[in-house]
């Protein structure tokens, strides 16, 4: 062998060793013990300064070239007036003898209809949020022309760092985390049931999730940890992406609920359930609501089992709003621990647009963003009150989560991402209008 | 993640649309972004299904009629120009436009054009008059199943009686305009676009 290739081999070997030692010391060991060196926060602060500079530079560049800078419509395209149907129609009635029907009634429906074409509350929740400042990712930029060499160079360096350094690092960590999870939970599963097993299972789960958190460079701030969910309860949270699970589970131990998958997911699921009871449903069982409710209530009744983690929206929403909560989890009748999760969109968009991207694509996007920054608020526990039905309880919890996270509280069903809206809502509108028509003839002069 | 919607719209196109419709540059780019987000097929045109995907529009009793107003006779696709032309009807009337030179053609958001837009919603077969049958159909859309045929019929008869001046049992556009002459059409048929 030539001495040159010898040298290269040695260099590679040394760099690998250094690499892995650094990885171990700075990332994996802190993950095991749940401490942090603060490296990620420092990283986050420097990124913010960088983005602000980049945005200013772009605005200046656009002004110099007299081009228009596209500003996202974060304040809305139009200003809507929240006037009800009855109010509007009464306003339109021209005094004097009240006719039952007026040809101008159509104006209300017409205007409302066109307003919803220009800007509606629902469809914009299923695509990524638009940003005010640029975060050096071309995927979120609408103004990317060549504004200045410095900016383009910076973007280029950004690409190199993200794809050349951060991505491989994160992928390594992800594999480590998942691998350790599968192996260690299987080992813990060999222990006899008891306090020792539960203790070990908790530690193992926490450690592996923490490694995964570092694999995404997620910088999470937990608020109000005194309200953390306890055994025998259900934890509900708003849903933006599959990462929500990792974020919550790295700070507390939960029993997961989900459908049984095949492939890698299935392997992970089978391993996890060896260490502590999670609730996995077969595809056929998911349709049977009674069966689902029974399994959930059985789990909750057993105080030695961990709190269940559920996302009642049923689908991923883009983190600007909270949509309708499905009432299933609120019928069980135990304490509900609401949690609000809000992502900071400046560092990387966490929303999973499942109609546009598959899971692998999505994970790659996540791992090549700068970071995932989010805040988690643990809200005080809630229970169903006297005379409140499951739907009202669900709406109450939803309102609390929306308020805490600064999200819009919507009554619309997240299922509208893929499905059509129910006819009954149109019928409600028709009924309202009929009342205005017929009602005015019944009570004569009163308006 | 977002696509570069505004870069697909050329400056010349924006200028032309600005002249035709009166929208400002930033309004046009924002509306283009909206057009693009509705265009699920990404073929530069919207179909009826694209509109029906908007839940608030789907539950509007006159949703189908409004969607129809965007599509020219016999066509299934509307491009961005057509989209903007229709939306232009809903621009508020600005004061300095009221004194505009009439020879440059009536702006799309004039009172007459707004009224004509509403007239078209009633006029199902586009023959420029509203027959009793058409009025009944539109009324039925607005009230659903909550009012009986007889009552609805009498409402339609009364409306035509009040409006019809030339005795042909139909409402023409001029009769329609006369009936609504006291209504503040400019305000009722305008949307407040932000700059």
């Amino acid at each position: 062998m030539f001495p040159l290739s010898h040298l290269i081999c040695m260099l590679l070997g040394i760099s690998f060793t250094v690499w892995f030692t650094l990885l171990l010391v700075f990332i994996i060991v802190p993950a095991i013990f749940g401490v942090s060196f603060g490296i990620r926060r420092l990283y986050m602060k420097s990124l913010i300064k960088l983005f602000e500079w980049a945005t200013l530079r772009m605005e200046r560049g656009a002004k110099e070239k007299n081009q228009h800078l596209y500003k996202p419509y974060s304040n809305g395209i139009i200003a809507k007036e929240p006037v009800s149907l009855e109010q509007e129609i009464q306003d339109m009635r021209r005094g004097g003898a009240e006719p039952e029907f007026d040809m101008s009634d159509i104006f209300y429906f017409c205007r409302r209809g066109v307003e919803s074409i220009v800007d509606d509350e629902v469809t914009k929740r299923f695509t990524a949020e638009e940003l005010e400042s640029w975060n050096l990712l071309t995927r979120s930029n609408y103004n990317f022309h060549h504004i200045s060499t410095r900016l383009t160079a910076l973007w280029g360096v950004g690409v190199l760092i993200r794809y050349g350094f951060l991505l491989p690092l994160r992928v390594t960590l992800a594999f480590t985390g998942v691998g350790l999870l599968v192996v260690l939970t299987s080992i813990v599963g060999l222990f006899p049931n008891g306090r020792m097993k539960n203790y070990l299972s908790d530690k193992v789960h926490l450690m592996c999730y923490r490694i995964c958190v570092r694999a995404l460079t997620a910088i999470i701030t937990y608020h109000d940890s005194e309200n953390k969910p306890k055994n025998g309860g259900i934890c509900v949270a708003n849903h933006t992406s599959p990462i929500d699970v990792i974020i919550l589970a790295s700070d507390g131990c939960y029993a997961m609920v989900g459908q049984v998958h095949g492939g890698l997911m299935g392997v992970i699921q089978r391993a996890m359930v060896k260490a502590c009871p999670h609730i996995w449903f077969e595809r056929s069982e998911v349709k049977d609501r009674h069966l689902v409710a029974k399994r959930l209530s059985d789990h909750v009744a057993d105080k030695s089992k961990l709190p269940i983690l559920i996302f009642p929206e049923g689908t991923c929403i883009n983190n600007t709003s909270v949509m309708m909560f499905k009432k299933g989890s609120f019928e069980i009748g135990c304490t509900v621990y609401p949690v609000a999760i809000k992502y900071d969109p400046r560092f990387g968009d966490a929303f999973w647009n499942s109609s546009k991207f598959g899971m692998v694509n999505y994970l790659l996007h996540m791992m090549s963003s700068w970071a995932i920054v989010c805040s988690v608020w643990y809200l005080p526990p809630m229970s169903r009150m006297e005379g409140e039905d499951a739907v009202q309880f669900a709406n109450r919890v939803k309102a609390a989560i929306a308020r805490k996270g600064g999200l819009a509280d919507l009554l619309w069903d997240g299922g509208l991402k893929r499905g059509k809206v129910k006819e009954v809502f149109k019928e409600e509108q028709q009924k309202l209008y009929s009342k205005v028509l017929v009602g005015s003839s019944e009570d004569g002069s009163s308006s | 993640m977002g696509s570069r919607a505004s870069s697909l719209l050329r400056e010349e196109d924006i200028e032309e649309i600005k002249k035709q419709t009166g929208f400002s540059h930033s309004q046009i780019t924002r509306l283009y972004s909206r057009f693009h987000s509705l265009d699920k097929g990404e073929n530069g045109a919207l179909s009826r299904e694209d509109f029906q995907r908007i839940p608030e529009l789907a539950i509007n009793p006159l949703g189908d009629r409004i969607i129809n107003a965007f599509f020219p006779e016999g066509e299934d696709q509307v491009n961005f120009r057509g989209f903007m032309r229709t939306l232009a009807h809903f621009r508020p009337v600005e004061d300095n436009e009221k004194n505009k030179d009439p020879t440059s053609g009536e702006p799309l958001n004039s009172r007459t054009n707004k009224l004509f837009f509403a007239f078209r919603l009633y006029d199902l077969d586009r023959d420029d008059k509203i027959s009793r049958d058409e009025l009944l159909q539109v009324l039925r859309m607005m009230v659903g199943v909550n009012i009986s045929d007889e009552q609805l019929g009498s409402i339609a008869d009364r409306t035509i009686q009040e409006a019809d001046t030339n005795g042909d049992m139909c409402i023409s556009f001029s009769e329609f305009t006369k009936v609504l002459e006291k209504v503040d059409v400019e305000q009722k048929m305008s949307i407040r676009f932000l700059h």
Side-chain angles (χ1 to χ4, degrees):
Chain A
M1 256 201 185
F2 296 130
L4 187 65
S5 41
H6 232 267
L7 200 66
I8 294 179
C9 278
M10 233 172 44
L11 274 171
L12 274 172
I14 292 178
S15 45
F16 257 143
T17 323
V18 170
W19 174 253
F20 270 119
T21 321
L22 280 173
L23 207 77
L24 201 71
V25 170
F26 281 107
I27 300 181
I28 297 192
V29 169
I32 298 177
F33 294 106
V35 295
S36 172
F37 278 119
I39 302 177
R40 282 173 288 154
R41 288 205 186 268
L42 190 65
Y43 171 63
M44 181 176 93
K45 288 201 182 73
S46 14
L47 277 179
I48 294 182
K49 288 213 183 69
L50 192 67
F51 296 159
E52 280 166 7
W53 176 83
T55 315
L56 280 169
R57 194 69 194 76
M58 254 175 28
E59 284 175 357
R60 226 178 47 204
K63 243 182 241 152
E64 282 165 16
K65 293 196 180 166
N66 236 344
Q67 278 171 351
H68 276 92
L69 208 64
Y70 171 76
K71 279 247 176 275
Y73 51 100
S74 38
N75 292 331
I77 311 182
I78 52 180
K80 289 192 203 175
E81 256 149 281
V83 191
S84 73
L85 190 153
E86 296 95 337
Q87 183 68 36
E88 209 53 49
I89 305 250
Q90 306 295 29
D91 286 349
M92 283 200 278
R93 291 269 186 267
R94 305 160 277 139
E98 303 241 355
E100 279 184 334
F101 167 71
D102 197 299
M103 299 211 81
S104 62
D105 286 351
I106 207 174
F107 292 167
Y108 171 78
F109 292 110
C110 187
R111 201 186 75 233
R112 276 306 182 93
V114 179
E115 273 179 354
S116 66
I117 291 178
V118 175
D119 185 15
D120 79 300
E121 282 301 314
V122 183
T123 53
K124 64 186 181 194
R125 310 292 176 192
F126 300 132
T127 51
E129 193 185 354
E130 296 189 11
L131 297 172
E132 287 280 352
S133 68
W134 189 36
N135 59 358
L136 292 178
L137 299 168
T138 34
R139 60 184 81 137
S140 56
N141 184 23
Y142 301 82
N143 287 306
F144 188 64
H145 315 294
H146 178 80
I147 303 248
S148 85
T149 336
R150 242 196 292 181
L151 203 59
T152 318
L154 199 66
W155 172 77
V157 169
V159 170
L160 270 171
I161 295 181
R162 283 185 296 119
Y163 283 92
F165 172 63
L166 289 176
L167 184 62
L169 171 67
R170 287 172 182 163
V171 171
T172 323
L173 280 174
F175 276 118
T176 317
V178 171
L180 276 177
L181 183 67
V182 172
V183 167
L184 290 175
T185 45
S186 307
I187 293 179
V188 171
L190 296 170
F191 280 70
N193 288 347
R195 282 229 338 243
M196 190 61 189
K197 183 177 186 183
N198 290 343
Y199 177 76
L200 281 176
S201 155
D202 285 355
K203 289 290 165 230
V204 160
H205 274 108
L206 278 175
M207 179 185 97
C208 296
Y209 281 120
R210 287 199 193 114
I211 297 181
C212 289
V213 158
R214 281 160 172 80
L216 294 163
T217 317
I219 304 164
I220 312 167
T221 317
Y222 296 99
H223 303 267
D224 306 328
S225 294
E226 65 269 11
N227 293 323
K228 251 197 255 194
K230 302 190 178 51
N231 285 9
I234 294 188
C235 174
V236 302
N238 58 316
H239 201 25
T240 307
S241 99
I243 294 179
D244 294 340
V245 174
I246 301 180
I247 287 180
L248 288 179
S250 60
D251 192 46
C253 297
Y254 299 94
M256 310 285 168
V257 180
Q259 238 182 47
V260 169
H261 284 98
L264 179 63
M265 233 11 252
V267 172
I268 301 176
Q269 284 178 325
R270 280 192 295 275
M272 279 169 68
V273 85
K274 285 189 195 136
C276 76
H278 296 286
I279 307 176
W280 306 126
F281 288 105
E282 298 290 333
R283 182 152 240 144
S284 50
E285 291 175 323
V286 173
K287 301 273 164 65
D288 186 348
R289 286 203 22 211
H290 287 294
L291 183 70
V292 170
K294 179 141 198 334
R295 275 186 75 177
L296 290 176
S297 10
D298 285 345
H299 183 109
V300 157
D302 185 347
K303 292 285 183 261
S304 71
K305 293 196 179 153
L306 298 166
I308 303 179
L309 178 59
I310 287 190
F311 297 101
E313 280 165 315
T315 187
C316 294
I317 313 291
N318 77 347
N319 210 233
T320 55
S321 69
V322 183
M323 296 193 126
M324 186 181 97
F325 275 4
K326 308 239 183 311
K327 62 179 164 108
S329 2
F330 298 91
E331 288 173 324
I332 299 181
C334 59
T335 328
V336 167
Y337 296 90
V339 176
I341 308 177
K342 179 86 179 93
Y343 289 88
D344 189 335
R346 289 177 295 178
F347 297 91
D349 179 42
F351 167 60
W352 182 29
N353 191 342
S354 47
S355 33
K356 248 189 168 175
F357 307 104
M359 175 67 104
V360 179
N361 218 332
Y362 169 70
L363 283 174
L364 271 171
H365 266 137
M366 283 296 98
M367 293 198 191
S368 60
S369 307
W370 293 110
I372 311 278
V373 179
C374 64
S375 292
V376 175
W377 285 274
Y378 292 106
L379 282 81
M382 294 177 152
S383 324
R384 194 154 75 163
M385 297 197 295
E386 283 295 318
E388 196 180 38
D389 71 0
V391 175
Q392 289 166 326
F393 180 38
N395 284 336
R396 192 160 59 92
V397 174
K398 175 160 70 82
I401 292 182
R403 211 175 323 132
K404 199 66 180 199
L407 308 161
D409 184 4
L410 297 179
L411 292 171
W412 295 98
D413 185 353
L416 290 171
K417 195 195 229 178
R418 296 202 176 83
K420 283 203 143 89
V421 66
K422 297 201 189 106
E423 275 294 308
V424 71
F425 293 111
K426 189 196 263 196
E427 286 157 19
E428 269 172 32
Q429 291 275 305
Q430 289 169 328
K431 210 188 263 172
L432 268 173
Y433 180 63
S434 314
K435 249 195 238 144
V436 174
L437 270 195
V438 175
S440 62
S441 70
E442 276 177 3
D443 41 48
S445 56
S446 62
S447 45
Chain B
M1 319 287 176
S3 54
R4 307 200 215 155
S6 70
S7 62
L8 297 172
L9 191 65
R10 297 168 308 172
E11 278 300 314
E12 312 95 70
D13 293 330
I14 299 182
E15 284 305 311
E16 249 200 80
I17 296 176
K18 201 175 184 180
K19 235 183 284 177
Q20 254 199 345
T21 61
F23 282 113
S24 74
H25 195 287
S26 63
Q27 285 168 343
I28 295 174
T29 38
R30 281 191 203 171
L31 286 168
Y32 186 72
S33 179
R34 172 66 175 173
F35 177 84
H36 195 85
S37 71
L38 291 173
D39 180 14
K40 288 283 184 269
E42 303 216 344
N43 56 350
L46 296 178
S47 66
R48 288 193 165 80
E49 287 77 39
D50 288 324
F51 283 102
Q52 275 153 359
R53 226 175 269 124
I54 304 173
E56 285 165 39
L57 187 62
I59 66 169
N60 189 316
L62 292 177
D64 288 331
R65 294 300 305 150
I66 297 169
I67 294 174
N68 216 49
F70 280 84
F71 293 84
E73 190 73 50
E75 286 186 30
D76 287 329
Q77 302 271 318
V78 55
N79 60 12
F80 184 58
R81 291 273 179 97
F83 184 70
M84 291 304 281
R85 275 188 65 88
T86 316
L87 285 183
H89 287 95
F90 290 86
R91 237 172 33 89
V93 182
E94 276 134 48
D95 277 323
N96 55 9
E97 282 182 61
K98 288 193 182 130
N99 305 325
K100 225 182 194 165
D101 179 21
T103 58
S104 64
E106 207 162 348
L108 286 166
N109 62 337
S110 68
R111 185 196 161 88
T112 319
N113 277 324
K114 286 183 199 283
L115 278 168
F116 195 60
F117 189 89
F119 183 78
R120 281 289 194 81
L121 289 178
Y122 283 110
D123 184 11
L124 298 168
D125 57 5
R126 298 194 183 190
D127 64 354
D128 288 334
K129 41 186 203 289
I130 305 174
S131 66
R132 180 182 190 271
D133 215 28
E134 289 173 339
L135 187 58
L136 259 180
Q137 282 189 54
V138 175
L139 275 168
R140 183 52 76 195
M141 284 184 219
M142 291 202 273
V143 304
V145 298
N146 299 294
I147 296 187
S148 67
D149 280 334
E150 302 89 51
Q151 214 174 353
L152 216 60
S154 62
I155 292 177
D157 287 330
R158 192 171 331 153
T159 313
I160 294 189
Q161 232 180 8
E162 284 177 2
D164 189 18
T165 50
N166 66 352
D168 64 350
M169 301 306 268
C170 285
I171 306 179
S172 69
F173 182 55
S174 48
E175 289 163 353
F176 184 73
T177 317
K178 187 106 197 352
V179 165
L180 296 174
E181 66 186 348
K182 291 211 181 62
V183 176
D184 185 3
V185 177
E186 287 91 334
Q187 199 247 326
K188 296 296 171 194
M189 288 281 276
S190 291
I191 298 178
R192 282 197 293 159
F193 288 95
L194 299 172
H195 287 283

